Amino acid sequence: MNPRYIGRRLATFLLTIFVASTLNFAITRLTPQDPIAALLGRMASRGRTVEDGGEIVARYRERLGLDAPLAQQYVSYLRDLLQGDLGYSLAFFPIKAEAVILRALPWTLGLLSLATLLAFAIGNLLGALAVWPRVPAGFRWLVYLSMPFSAIPYYLLALILVYVFALNWSLFPLGGSFTVGSDRGLNLETLADLLHHAALPVLSVVLAVVGFWALSMRGIMATVLGDDYLIYARARGLRSRRIFSHYAMRNAMLPQVTALAIDFGRLISGQVLVEIIFNYPGVGWVLYNALRAADFFVIQGVTLFMVFTVAVATLLLDLVYPLLDPRIRYQS
Amino acid sequence: MISRLRARLSPTMWLGFVLLALVLVPGLFGQFFADPDQLRLMAGGISAPPNADHPLGTQNEGRDLLTYILKGMPNTLLIGLVGGGSAVLLGTVLGMLAGYVGGPLDALVRNTVDIGLTIPPLAILIMIAASFPVVTPLIMGLVIALTSWMHPTRVIRSQVLSLREREFVLLLRLSGASPQHIVFRELLPNLIPFLAATFVNAVATALLASIGLEVLGLGSFQTPTLGNLIYFAIIGNAMWLGLWWWWLPPIVVFIVLFMGLFFVSTALDTLANPRLEQG
Amino acid sequence: MVGPGSEVVLEIEALRIHYEMQAATIRAVDGVDLKVRGNEVLGLAGESGSGKSTLALGVLRLLRPPGRVVEGRVRFGDVDLLALEERDLRALRWRQFAYIPQGSMSALNPVMRLRSQFADTLAAHGERMQPAAMQERFTEVLHGVGLEADILPRYPHELSGGMRQRVCIALALLLGPRLIIADEPTSALDVISQRVVLETLAAARQAIGASMLLIGHDLALLAQVTDRLGVMYAGRIVELGATGQLFANARHPYTQRLISSIPDLHDRRTISSDAPEAEAQWLLEGPLQEVSAGHFVRPWQTAGETAS
């Protein structure tokens, strides 16, 4: 692979993280009030008070070094970040914020990758089949049916799914990621239990995102159908299935992979909110509780985690892309 | 332009307009028929199901839910309009400047947009909303615009780039027309269908972001909005207690609103790129 | 050298192809009759928009909507191509008739190595071979068009236009078809490569004894390799005859104009724009008429003169 290509992608990756971290710092320091007082004020406005509020403020101020000059604060902020030090969680003192997030991380990444891959695969397949010649009209209707779902925010869809499938029909658990008290050994039962709990959260994301992919794939495939290499493949008598998989899809997927990278930010935001609805013990749920407890360093840590995850995902896609499109490898 | 628009109002567009009207008419005018007293504590029974006095029932503090929705809708719509409108305004100015002027300015805008697009807006919004003590609908709209101008900028920039190379713009430039004339008199009218589609999408994005923030508990609790209503319903365990009249109506309003925006934006996209129709 | 046989390989009868759109219907092919004989190269000349490429796609059953065959028959040997089930058609393709596309720049799958695209073509027709045997077969057809086997692991964008064109010719030879339909196989190349590639194509065809329908807009180029030549205008054949005869004794005004304007074609000047009022009279109803043995002309009219 072209080293210049890799170098440029890596530079963009690092720059993105740097810009986002700096923004994060700037936002909390440039507001009229210091962030801790704002959070505590917000809690008070909700009629909740924090015991030892004064002591908390003092400890936060010390940690943030709010009395030091801004430049010095910024340098120590970046230094701590580089060392992976996100500060203490106040709700779970003396556990560090990064530990709280790391504990929740596998749940979020598992749910997110499962939902994203399922939605991407199903949506692209549906959209492509919707315009492929001699495919039953049912597929066309599936795409139309999936369209309205793509307009509804996931977390609202999630609420309805919980109500219908978990509360009314008791088909799925109401929340959580596993049955409390189960042995959680490495066996099929555990896996089934995990999937059972993940089903509704995943379904709400998939339902909402499938239509998005199907719709754009339908447009791309309609163009690809008229491309010369497809007509030429038909002329050579290739089987329709082979043409679909290796000629049409391989090419139509390229812009979709690029779109996936751009869409990742939206996906992770929706995921955070879905976890709240399902009490799923991922990073979104951690964030929700941190916001309610004014746990500043956890809140900051989660937002930095979101930025980092999306940047890593984008970088990975960028590095995989030349394997899918050989033409990229030779461009500078 | 107008006659072309009228001639091409598709069924999709009509469907979108009807759905939007279903939300906008009560959303804008309902507030004048709502009685503020109904929002007070114990205006009705606690968690009463829908009845003659309270068509949508009451929540766990006895506040009337229909009144809350009628009072909340204008605020929610305001966030969407301010957020979407400012994002498109910012995007149009930057996109047109970058696309028309080109050079280092274009490179700067393009790279900022590329990096900005990979930062999840919610991450930034959470930090901003958490750091501001009071978030009114207006401030929330503006804050959302700050994190969502990148997409409109990108769309407008690429449109201006393709328009700039068209023959009529080249001829105008050769004939010595001023850049202002070219941009405002010749380019802008050609961009109107794109701007309309981008605006509708931006409003949907802003609404989506505002609901997200409010569901996280980062809204302003003094101001009734539909997102806050959902947040309180979650906090009040409305679903587990079987109080469907508390959590379901705001969701239904949002679904109708988002579907309306979706159909209008799809129809506008088709209008802006006639090629899509064939697909 | 074996000359054209008398057996008919491809017979097109009264073929009409329309593009049916909401605003209008375009009659791209408007009643064409044509026969291609065994071991013969039949050229079909005309400007872009004359319907010659649509004719090729129609015969090959590769038309996409809104294009549609509204009338006519296409017989290949003794099968009616237009009435064939998709499965039976697929079996005939490439083994019996191959196609060299107009846009061979973009005809090859950009994300697939050439070897896979060659292998796909074999596999589609049930040719199961050991890798070594396959390599040998590929090398053979590539040598036939002046290429080496070392291009097989490459991607299409790594080849020059002329090389890609040769790859398409090599692919056409892969299963030894009875008929090759070549649609402007050299139009995307520079003048020198055009001649070389066309000669390669003619020689390769000769080697396997296939018939060929060769479509192009450059009469001078077509004249070099064809046995017979048809001239197409506005969806119809206006003149058809042995290549030498046609050049020596062109009857139809459009043919005459095509021949006399040969140098102009390289300036991309269109002929029909010269005299639009005369053009309206170039097509009269009625069948092609035989003016001498094997030389057919469609009736026409120009100001003050009615032919045939």
Side-chain angles (χ1 to χ4, degrees), chain A residues 228-229 234 236-237 239 242 246-247 251, chain C residues 61 90 94 106-107 109 120-121 125:
Chain A
D228 290 340
Y229 52 82
R234 267 180 68 209
R236 298 200 323 269
R239 278 172 226 281
R242 179 78 180 170
H246 283 70
Y247 289 72
N251 282 285
Chain C
R61 293 230 347 227
R90 198 182 72 73
W94 228 250
S106 48
N109 186 351
D120 266 359
T121 315
H125 297 281

mmCIF file with all atom_site columns, all heavy atoms in Angstrom, chain A residues 228-229 234 236-237 239 242 246-247 251, chain C residues 61 90 94 106-107 109 120-121 125:
data_model
loop_
_atom_site.group_PDB
_atom_site.id
_atom_site.type_symbol
_atom_site.label_atom_id
_atom_site.label_alt_id
_atom_site.label_comp_id
_atom_site.label_asym_id
_atom_site.label_entity_id
_atom_site.label_seq_id
_atom_site.pdbx_PDB_ins_code
_atom_site.Cartn_x
_atom_site.Cartn_y
_atom_site.Cartn_z
_atom_site.occupancy
_atom_site.B_iso_or_equiv
_atom_site.pdbx_formal_charge
_atom_site.auth_seq_id
_atom_site.auth_comp_id
_atom_site.auth_asym_id
_atom_site.auth_atom_id
_atom_site.pdbx_PDB_model_num
ATOM 1   N N   . ASP A 1 228 ? -20.840 -0.236  -18.138 1.00 0.00 ? 228 ASP A N   1
ATOM 2   C CA  . ASP A 1 228 ? -20.364 -1.107  -19.211 1.00 0.00 ? 228 ASP A CA  1
ATOM 3   C C   . ASP A 1 228 ? -19.938 -2.478  -18.710 1.00 0.00 ? 228 ASP A C   1
ATOM 4   O O   . ASP A 1 228 ? -20.208 -3.490  -19.346 1.00 0.00 ? 228 ASP A O   1
ATOM 5   C CB  . ASP A 1 228 ? -19.185 -0.438  -19.925 1.00 0.00 ? 228 ASP A CB  1
ATOM 6   C CG  . ASP A 1 228 ? -19.648 0.759   -20.734 1.00 0.00 ? 228 ASP A CG  1
ATOM 7   O OD1 . ASP A 1 228 ? -20.856 0.822   -21.033 1.00 0.00 ? 228 ASP A OD1 1
ATOM 8   O OD2 . ASP A 1 228 ? -18.814 1.623   -21.060 1.00 0.00 ? 228 ASP A OD2 1
ATOM 9   N N   . TYR A 1 229 ? -19.245 -2.523  -17.539 1.00 0.00 ? 229 TYR A N   1
ATOM 10  C CA  . TYR A 1 229 ? -18.732 -3.824  -17.117 1.00 0.00 ? 229 TYR A CA  1
ATOM 11  C C   . TYR A 1 229 ? -19.846 -4.795  -16.758 1.00 0.00 ? 229 TYR A C   1
ATOM 12  O O   . TYR A 1 229 ? -19.663 -6.000  -16.797 1.00 0.00 ? 229 TYR A O   1
ATOM 13  C CB  . TYR A 1 229 ? -17.748 -3.680  -15.954 1.00 0.00 ? 229 TYR A CB  1
ATOM 14  C CG  . TYR A 1 229 ? -18.251 -2.891  -14.776 1.00 0.00 ? 229 TYR A CG  1
ATOM 15  C CD1 . TYR A 1 229 ? -19.055 -3.484  -13.824 1.00 0.00 ? 229 TYR A CD1 1
ATOM 16  C CD2 . TYR A 1 229 ? -17.924 -1.560  -14.632 1.00 0.00 ? 229 TYR A CD2 1
ATOM 17  C CE1 . TYR A 1 229 ? -19.528 -2.758  -12.753 1.00 0.00 ? 229 TYR A CE1 1
ATOM 18  C CE2 . TYR A 1 229 ? -18.381 -0.818  -13.561 1.00 0.00 ? 229 TYR A CE2 1
ATOM 19  C CZ  . TYR A 1 229 ? -19.187 -1.422  -12.616 1.00 0.00 ? 229 TYR A CZ  1
ATOM 20  O OH  . TYR A 1 229 ? -19.657 -0.699  -11.565 1.00 0.00 ? 229 TYR A OH  1
ATOM 21  N N   . ARG A 1 234 ? -22.786 -9.656  -18.618 1.00 0.00 ? 234 ARG A N   1
ATOM 22  C CA  . ARG A 1 234 ? -23.974 -10.380 -19.088 1.00 0.00 ? 234 ARG A CA  1
ATOM 23  C C   . ARG A 1 234 ? -23.724 -10.964 -20.467 1.00 0.00 ? 234 ARG A C   1
ATOM 24  O O   . ARG A 1 234 ? -24.107 -12.092 -20.760 1.00 0.00 ? 234 ARG A O   1
ATOM 25  C CB  . ARG A 1 234 ? -25.169 -9.432  -19.160 1.00 0.00 ? 234 ARG A CB  1
ATOM 26  C CG  . ARG A 1 234 ? -26.003 -9.420  -17.892 1.00 0.00 ? 234 ARG A CG  1
ATOM 27  C CD  . ARG A 1 234 ? -27.163 -8.459  -18.054 1.00 0.00 ? 234 ARG A CD  1
ATOM 28  N NE  . ARG A 1 234 ? -28.142 -8.915  -19.026 1.00 0.00 ? 234 ARG A NE  1
ATOM 29  C CZ  . ARG A 1 234 ? -28.912 -8.095  -19.750 1.00 0.00 ? 234 ARG A CZ  1
ATOM 30  N NH1 . ARG A 1 234 ? -28.814 -6.800  -19.603 1.00 0.00 ? 234 ARG A NH1 1
ATOM 31  N NH2 . ARG A 1 234 ? -29.774 -8.585  -20.597 1.00 0.00 ? 234 ARG A NH2 1
ATOM 32  N N   . ARG A 1 236 ? -21.066 -12.017 -21.644 1.00 0.00 ? 236 ARG A N   1
ATOM 33  C CA  . ARG A 1 236 ? -20.187 -13.185 -21.576 1.00 0.00 ? 236 ARG A CA  1
ATOM 34  C C   . ARG A 1 236 ? -20.911 -14.399 -21.011 1.00 0.00 ? 236 ARG A C   1
ATOM 35  O O   . ARG A 1 236 ? -20.316 -15.452 -20.860 1.00 0.00 ? 236 ARG A O   1
ATOM 36  C CB  . ARG A 1 236 ? -18.947 -12.864 -20.721 1.00 0.00 ? 236 ARG A CB  1
ATOM 37  C CG  . ARG A 1 236 ? -18.150 -11.747 -21.340 1.00 0.00 ? 236 ARG A CG  1
ATOM 38  C CD  . ARG A 1 236 ? -16.710 -11.615 -20.933 1.00 0.00 ? 236 ARG A CD  1
ATOM 39  N NE  . ARG A 1 236 ? -16.296 -11.876 -19.588 1.00 0.00 ? 236 ARG A NE  1
ATOM 40  C CZ  . ARG A 1 236 ? -16.233 -10.956 -18.611 1.00 0.00 ? 236 ARG A CZ  1
ATOM 41  N NH1 . ARG A 1 236 ? -16.662 -9.724  -18.830 1.00 0.00 ? 236 ARG A NH1 1
ATOM 42  N NH2 . ARG A 1 236 ? -15.770 -11.271 -17.438 1.00 0.00 ? 236 ARG A NH2 1
ATOM 43  N N   . GLY A 1 237 ? -22.195 -14.229 -20.668 1.00 0.00 ? 237 GLY A N   1
ATOM 44  C CA  . GLY A 1 237 ? -22.971 -15.371 -20.207 1.00 0.00 ? 237 GLY A CA  1
ATOM 45  C C   . GLY A 1 237 ? -22.710 -15.735 -18.761 1.00 0.00 ? 237 GLY A C   1
ATOM 46  O O   . GLY A 1 237 ? -22.980 -16.859 -18.344 1.00 0.00 ? 237 GLY A O   1
ATOM 47  N N   . ARG A 1 239 ? -23.268 -16.122 -14.821 1.00 0.00 ? 239 ARG A N   1
ATOM 48  C CA  . ARG A 1 239 ? -24.503 -16.343 -14.069 1.00 0.00 ? 239 ARG A CA  1
ATOM 49  C C   . ARG A 1 239 ? -24.896 -15.072 -13.343 1.00 0.00 ? 239 ARG A C   1
ATOM 50  O O   . ARG A 1 239 ? -24.052 -14.345 -12.825 1.00 0.00 ? 239 ARG A O   1
ATOM 51  C CB  . ARG A 1 239 ? -24.304 -17.457 -13.042 1.00 0.00 ? 239 ARG A CB  1
ATOM 52  C CG  . ARG A 1 239 ? -24.437 -18.838 -13.603 1.00 0.00 ? 239 ARG A CG  1
ATOM 53  C CD  . ARG A 1 239 ? -24.033 -19.881 -12.576 1.00 0.00 ? 239 ARG A CD  1
ATOM 54  N NE  . ARG A 1 239 ? -23.156 -20.873 -13.198 1.00 0.00 ? 239 ARG A NE  1
ATOM 55  C CZ  . ARG A 1 239 ? -23.597 -21.856 -13.963 1.00 0.00 ? 239 ARG A CZ  1
ATOM 56  N NH1 . ARG A 1 239 ? -24.887 -22.008 -14.181 1.00 0.00 ? 239 ARG A NH1 1
ATOM 57  N NH2 . ARG A 1 239 ? -22.762 -22.718 -14.513 1.00 0.00 ? 239 ARG A NH2 1
ATOM 58  N N   . ARG A 1 242 ? -23.437 -14.514 -9.939  1.00 0.00 ? 242 ARG A N   1
ATOM 59  C CA  . ARG A 1 242 ? -22.025 -14.120 -9.960  1.00 0.00 ? 242 ARG A CA  1
ATOM 60  C C   . ARG A 1 242 ? -21.896 -12.630 -10.321 1.00 0.00 ? 242 ARG A C   1
ATOM 61  O O   . ARG A 1 242 ? -21.105 -11.902 -9.732  1.00 0.00 ? 242 ARG A O   1
ATOM 62  C CB  . ARG A 1 242 ? -21.288 -14.991 -10.995 1.00 0.00 ? 242 ARG A CB  1
ATOM 63  C CG  . ARG A 1 242 ? -19.818 -14.683 -11.135 1.00 0.00 ? 242 ARG A CG  1
ATOM 64  C CD  . ARG A 1 242 ? -19.009 -15.281 -10.021 1.00 0.00 ? 242 ARG A CD  1
ATOM 65  N NE  . ARG A 1 242 ? -17.588 -14.988 -10.155 1.00 0.00 ? 242 ARG A NE  1
ATOM 66  C CZ  . ARG A 1 242 ? -16.698 -15.238 -9.210  1.00 0.00 ? 242 ARG A CZ  1
ATOM 67  N NH1 . ARG A 1 242 ? -17.083 -15.780 -8.071  1.00 0.00 ? 242 ARG A NH1 1
ATOM 68  N NH2 . ARG A 1 242 ? -15.434 -14.945 -9.395  1.00 0.00 ? 242 ARG A NH2 1
ATOM 69  N N   . HIS A 1 246 ? -20.058 -10.301 -7.575  1.00 0.00 ? 246 HIS A N   1
ATOM 70  C CA  . HIS A 1 246 ? -18.680 -9.909  -7.848  1.00 0.00 ? 246 HIS A CA  1
ATOM 71  C C   . HIS A 1 246 ? -18.530 -8.717  -8.784  1.00 0.00 ? 246 HIS A C   1
ATOM 72  O O   . HIS A 1 246 ? -17.469 -8.135  -8.858  1.00 0.00 ? 246 HIS A O   1
ATOM 73  C CB  . HIS A 1 246 ? -17.902 -11.093 -8.420  1.00 0.00 ? 246 HIS A CB  1
ATOM 74  C CG  . HIS A 1 246 ? -17.511 -12.075 -7.351  1.00 0.00 ? 246 HIS A CG  1
ATOM 75  N ND1 . HIS A 1 246 ? -18.426 -12.861 -6.707  1.00 0.00 ? 246 HIS A ND1 1
ATOM 76  C CD2 . HIS A 1 246 ? -16.314 -12.367 -6.806  1.00 0.00 ? 246 HIS A CD2 1
ATOM 77  C CE1 . HIS A 1 246 ? -17.819 -13.604 -5.817  1.00 0.00 ? 246 HIS A CE1 1
ATOM 78  N NE2 . HIS A 1 246 ? -16.526 -13.332 -5.842  1.00 0.00 ? 246 HIS A NE2 1
ATOM 79  N N   . TYR A 1 247 ? -19.580 -8.386  -9.527  1.00 0.00 ? 247 TYR A N   1
ATOM 80  C CA  . TYR A 1 247 ? -19.462 -7.278  -10.457 1.00 0.00 ? 247 TYR A CA  1
ATOM 81  C C   . TYR A 1 247 ? -20.261 -6.076  -9.953  1.00 0.00 ? 247 TYR A C   1
ATOM 82  O O   . TYR A 1 247 ? -19.715 -4.992  -9.744  1.00 0.00 ? 247 TYR A O   1
ATOM 83  C CB  . TYR A 1 247 ? -19.906 -7.707  -11.857 1.00 0.00 ? 247 TYR A CB  1
ATOM 84  C CG  . TYR A 1 247 ? -18.911 -8.647  -12.503 1.00 0.00 ? 247 TYR A CG  1
ATOM 85  C CD1 . TYR A 1 247 ? -18.771 -9.956  -12.066 1.00 0.00 ? 247 TYR A CD1 1
ATOM 86  C CD2 . TYR A 1 247 ? -18.076 -8.214  -13.526 1.00 0.00 ? 247 TYR A CD2 1
ATOM 87  C CE1 . TYR A 1 247 ? -17.841 -10.816 -12.627 1.00 0.00 ? 247 TYR A CE1 1
ATOM 88  C CE2 . TYR A 1 247 ? -17.134 -9.061  -14.095 1.00 0.00 ? 247 TYR A CE2 1
ATOM 89  C CZ  . TYR A 1 247 ? -17.018 -10.362 -13.643 1.00 0.00 ? 247 TYR A CZ  1
ATOM 90  O OH  . TYR A 1 247 ? -16.084 -11.191 -14.199 1.00 0.00 ? 247 TYR A OH  1
ATOM 91  N N   . ASN A 1 251 ? -18.676 -3.180  -6.778  1.00 0.00 ? 251 ASN A N   1
ATOM 92  C CA  . ASN A 1 251 ? -18.492 -1.792  -7.183  1.00 0.00 ? 251 ASN A CA  1
ATOM 93  C C   . ASN A 1 251 ? -19.439 -0.842  -6.466  1.00 0.00 ? 251 ASN A C   1
ATOM 94  O O   . ASN A 1 251 ? -19.049 0.250   -6.057  1.00 0.00 ? 251 ASN A O   1
ATOM 95  C CB  . ASN A 1 251 ? -18.674 -1.654  -8.699  1.00 0.00 ? 251 ASN A CB  1
ATOM 96  C CG  . ASN A 1 251 ? -17.445 -2.120  -9.448  1.00 0.00 ? 251 ASN A CG  1
ATOM 97  O OD1 . ASN A 1 251 ? -16.441 -1.437  -9.479  1.00 0.00 ? 251 ASN A OD1 1
ATOM 98  N ND2 . ASN A 1 251 ? -17.507 -3.316  -10.015 1.00 0.00 ? 251 ASN A ND2 1
ATOM 99  N N   . ARG C 2 61  ? -29.435 -9.208  -27.166 1.00 0.00 ? 61  ARG C N   1
ATOM 100 C CA  . ARG C 2 61  ? -30.396 -9.164  -26.050 1.00 0.00 ? 61  ARG C CA  1
ATOM 101 C C   . ARG C 2 61  ? -29.779 -8.505  -24.811 1.00 0.00 ? 61  ARG C C   1
ATOM 102 O O   . ARG C 2 61  ? -29.891 -8.993  -23.700 1.00 0.00 ? 61  ARG C O   1
ATOM 103 C CB  . ARG C 2 61  ? -30.894 -10.571 -25.707 1.00 0.00 ? 61  ARG C CB  1
ATOM 104 C CG  . ARG C 2 61  ? -31.731 -11.139 -26.815 1.00 0.00 ? 61  ARG C CG  1
ATOM 105 C CD  . ARG C 2 61  ? -33.089 -11.720 -26.441 1.00 0.00 ? 61  ARG C CD  1
ATOM 106 N NE  . ARG C 2 61  ? -33.421 -11.959 -25.073 1.00 0.00 ? 61  ARG C NE  1
ATOM 107 C CZ  . ARG C 2 61  ? -33.977 -13.112 -24.643 1.00 0.00 ? 61  ARG C CZ  1
ATOM 108 N NH1 . ARG C 2 61  ? -34.195 -14.107 -25.493 1.00 0.00 ? 61  ARG C NH1 1
ATOM 109 N NH2 . ARG C 2 61  ? -34.330 -13.238 -23.403 1.00 0.00 ? 61  ARG C NH2 1
ATOM 110 N N   . ARG C 2 90  ? -28.178 -17.872 -22.118 1.00 0.00 ? 90  ARG C N   1
ATOM 111 C CA  . ARG C 2 90  ? -26.906 -17.791 -21.409 1.00 0.00 ? 90  ARG C CA  1
ATOM 112 C C   . ARG C 2 90  ? -25.942 -18.875 -21.875 1.00 0.00 ? 90  ARG C C   1
ATOM 113 O O   . ARG C 2 90  ? -24.745 -18.657 -21.993 1.00 0.00 ? 90  ARG C O   1
ATOM 114 C CB  . ARG C 2 90  ? -27.152 -17.912 -19.899 1.00 0.00 ? 90  ARG C CB  1
ATOM 115 C CG  . ARG C 2 90  ? -26.004 -17.416 -19.044 1.00 0.00 ? 90  ARG C CG  1
ATOM 116 C CD  . ARG C 2 90  ? -26.279 -17.605 -17.572 1.00 0.00 ? 90  ARG C CD  1
ATOM 117 N NE  . ARG C 2 90  ? -26.215 -18.988 -17.156 1.00 0.00 ? 90  ARG C NE  1
ATOM 118 C CZ  . ARG C 2 90  ? -25.079 -19.674 -17.033 1.00 0.00 ? 90  ARG C CZ  1
ATOM 119 N NH1 . ARG C 2 90  ? -23.927 -19.103 -17.293 1.00 0.00 ? 90  ARG C NH1 1
ATOM 120 N NH2 . ARG C 2 90  ? -25.100 -20.937 -16.664 1.00 0.00 ? 90  ARG C NH2 1
ATOM 121 N N   . TRP C 2 94  ? -21.268 -16.306 -25.737 1.00 0.00 ? 94  TRP C N   1
ATOM 122 C CA  . TRP C 2 94  ? -19.811 -16.443 -25.713 1.00 0.00 ? 94  TRP C CA  1
ATOM 123 C C   . TRP C 2 94  ? -19.340 -17.717 -26.395 1.00 0.00 ? 94  TRP C C   1
ATOM 124 O O   . TRP C 2 94  ? -18.429 -17.696 -27.182 1.00 0.00 ? 94  TRP C O   1
ATOM 125 C CB  . TRP C 2 94  ? -19.236 -16.360 -24.294 1.00 0.00 ? 94  TRP C CB  1
ATOM 126 C CG  . TRP C 2 94  ? -18.063 -15.413 -24.282 1.00 0.00 ? 94  TRP C CG  1
ATOM 127 C CD1 . TRP C 2 94  ? -16.751 -15.754 -24.121 1.00 0.00 ? 94  TRP C CD1 1
ATOM 128 C CD2 . TRP C 2 94  ? -18.081 -14.017 -24.510 1.00 0.00 ? 94  TRP C CD2 1
ATOM 129 N NE1 . TRP C 2 94  ? -15.968 -14.650 -24.220 1.00 0.00 ? 94  TRP C NE1 1
ATOM 130 C CE2 . TRP C 2 94  ? -16.754 -13.554 -24.459 1.00 0.00 ? 94  TRP C CE2 1
ATOM 131 C CE3 . TRP C 2 94  ? -19.101 -13.101 -24.770 1.00 0.00 ? 94  TRP C CE3 1
ATOM 132 C CZ2 . TRP C 2 94  ? -16.418 -12.224 -24.650 1.00 0.00 ? 94  TRP C CZ2 1
ATOM 133 C CZ3 . TRP C 2 94  ? -18.765 -11.775 -24.955 1.00 0.00 ? 94  TRP C CZ3 1
ATOM 134 C CH2 . TRP C 2 94  ? -17.437 -11.354 -24.882 1.00 0.00 ? 94  TRP C CH2 1
ATOM 135 N N   . SER C 2 106 ? -14.178 0.881   -20.096 1.00 0.00 ? 106 SER C N   1
ATOM 136 C CA  . SER C 2 106 ? -14.893 0.669   -18.837 1.00 0.00 ? 106 SER C CA  1
ATOM 137 C C   . SER C 2 106 ? -15.624 -0.665  -18.824 1.00 0.00 ? 106 SER C C   1
ATOM 138 O O   . SER C 2 106 ? -16.446 -0.910  -17.970 1.00 0.00 ? 106 SER C O   1
ATOM 139 C CB  . SER C 2 106 ? -15.887 1.805   -18.601 1.00 0.00 ? 106 SER C CB  1
ATOM 140 O OG  . SER C 2 106 ? -16.642 2.017   -19.775 1.00 0.00 ? 106 SER C OG  1
ATOM 141 N N   . ALA C 2 107 ? -15.330 -1.525  -19.811 1.00 0.00 ? 107 ALA C N   1
ATOM 142 C CA  . ALA C 2 107 ? -16.054 -2.796  -19.904 1.00 0.00 ? 107 ALA C CA  1
ATOM 143 C C   . ALA C 2 107 ? -15.532 -3.815  -18.916 1.00 0.00 ? 107 ALA C C   1
ATOM 144 O O   . ALA C 2 107 ? -16.236 -4.754  -18.558 1.00 0.00 ? 107 ALA C O   1
ATOM 145 C CB  . ALA C 2 107 ? -15.971 -3.348  -21.312 1.00 0.00 ? 107 ALA C CB  1
ATOM 146 N N   . ASN C 2 109 ? -14.309 -5.138  -15.286 1.00 0.00 ? 109 ASN C N   1
ATOM 147 C CA  . ASN C 2 109 ? -14.630 -4.840  -13.891 1.00 0.00 ? 109 ASN C CA  1
ATOM 148 C C   . ASN C 2 109 ? -13.409 -4.201  -13.211 1.00 0.00 ? 109 ASN C C   1
ATOM 149 O O   . ASN C 2 109 ? -12.379 -4.847  -13.062 1.00 0.00 ? 109 ASN C O   1
ATOM 150 C CB  . ASN C 2 109 ? -15.034 -6.141  -13.202 1.00 0.00 ? 109 ASN C CB  1
ATOM 151 C CG  . ASN C 2 109 ? -15.527 -5.920  -11.793 1.00 0.00 ? 109 ASN C CG  1
ATOM 152 O OD1 . ASN C 2 109 ? -15.412 -4.806  -11.267 1.00 0.00 ? 109 ASN C OD1 1
ATOM 153 N ND2 . ASN C 2 109 ? -16.062 -6.955  -11.189 1.00 0.00 ? 109 ASN C ND2 1
ATOM 154 N N   . ASP C 2 120 ? -13.772 -16.317 -14.779 1.00 0.00 ? 120 ASP C N   1
ATOM 155 C CA  . ASP C 2 120 ? -15.225 -16.230 -14.657 1.00 0.00 ? 120 ASP C CA  1
ATOM 156 C C   . ASP C 2 120 ? -15.906 -16.623 -15.954 1.00 0.00 ? 120 ASP C C   1
ATOM 157 O O   . ASP C 2 120 ? -16.941 -17.288 -15.957 1.00 0.00 ? 120 ASP C O   1
ATOM 158 C CB  . ASP C 2 120 ? -15.632 -14.790 -14.316 1.00 0.00 ? 120 ASP C CB  1
ATOM 159 C CG  . ASP C 2 120 ? -15.788 -14.590 -12.823 1.00 0.00 ? 120 ASP C CG  1
ATOM 160 O OD1 . ASP C 2 120 ? -15.600 -15.579 -12.081 1.00 0.00 ? 120 ASP C OD1 1
ATOM 161 O OD2 . ASP C 2 120 ? -16.111 -13.463 -12.401 1.00 0.00 ? 120 ASP C OD2 1
ATOM 162 N N   . THR C 2 121 ? -15.319 -16.170 -17.059 1.00 0.00 ? 121 THR C N   1
ATOM 163 C CA  . THR C 2 121 ? -15.927 -16.440 -18.353 1.00 0.00 ? 121 THR C CA  1
ATOM 164 C C   . THR C 2 121 ? -15.901 -17.940 -18.655 1.00 0.00 ? 121 THR C C   1
ATOM 165 O O   . THR C 2 121 ? -16.874 -18.502 -19.154 1.00 0.00 ? 121 THR C O   1
ATOM 166 C CB  . THR C 2 121 ? -15.178 -15.664 -19.455 1.00 0.00 ? 121 THR C CB  1
ATOM 167 O OG1 . THR C 2 121 ? -14.960 -14.334 -18.978 1.00 0.00 ? 121 THR C OG1 1
ATOM 168 C CG2 . THR C 2 121 ? -15.953 -15.640 -20.736 1.00 0.00 ? 121 THR C CG2 1
ATOM 169 N N   . HIS C 2 125 ? -19.367 -21.155 -18.303 1.00 0.00 ? 125 HIS C N   1
ATOM 170 C CA  . HIS C 2 125 ? -19.775 -22.098 -19.344 1.00 0.00 ? 125 HIS C CA  1
ATOM 171 C C   . HIS C 2 125 ? -19.316 -23.506 -19.017 1.00 0.00 ? 125 HIS C C   1
ATOM 172 O O   . HIS C 2 125 ? -19.085 -24.323 -19.899 1.00 0.00 ? 125 HIS C O   1
ATOM 173 C CB  . HIS C 2 125 ? -19.264 -21.623 -20.697 1.00 0.00 ? 125 HIS C CB  1
ATOM 174 C CG  . HIS C 2 125 ? -19.869 -20.311 -21.066 1.00 0.00 ? 125 HIS C CG  1
ATOM 175 N ND1 . HIS C 2 125 ? -21.141 -20.191 -21.580 1.00 0.00 ? 125 HIS C ND1 1
ATOM 176 C CD2 . HIS C 2 125 ? -19.420 -19.041 -20.931 1.00 0.00 ? 125 HIS C CD2 1
ATOM 177 C CE1 . HIS C 2 125 ? -21.434 -18.922 -21.764 1.00 0.00 ? 125 HIS C CE1 1
ATOM 178 N NE2 . HIS C 2 125 ? -20.397 -18.193 -21.377 1.00 0.00 ? 125 HIS C NE2 1
#
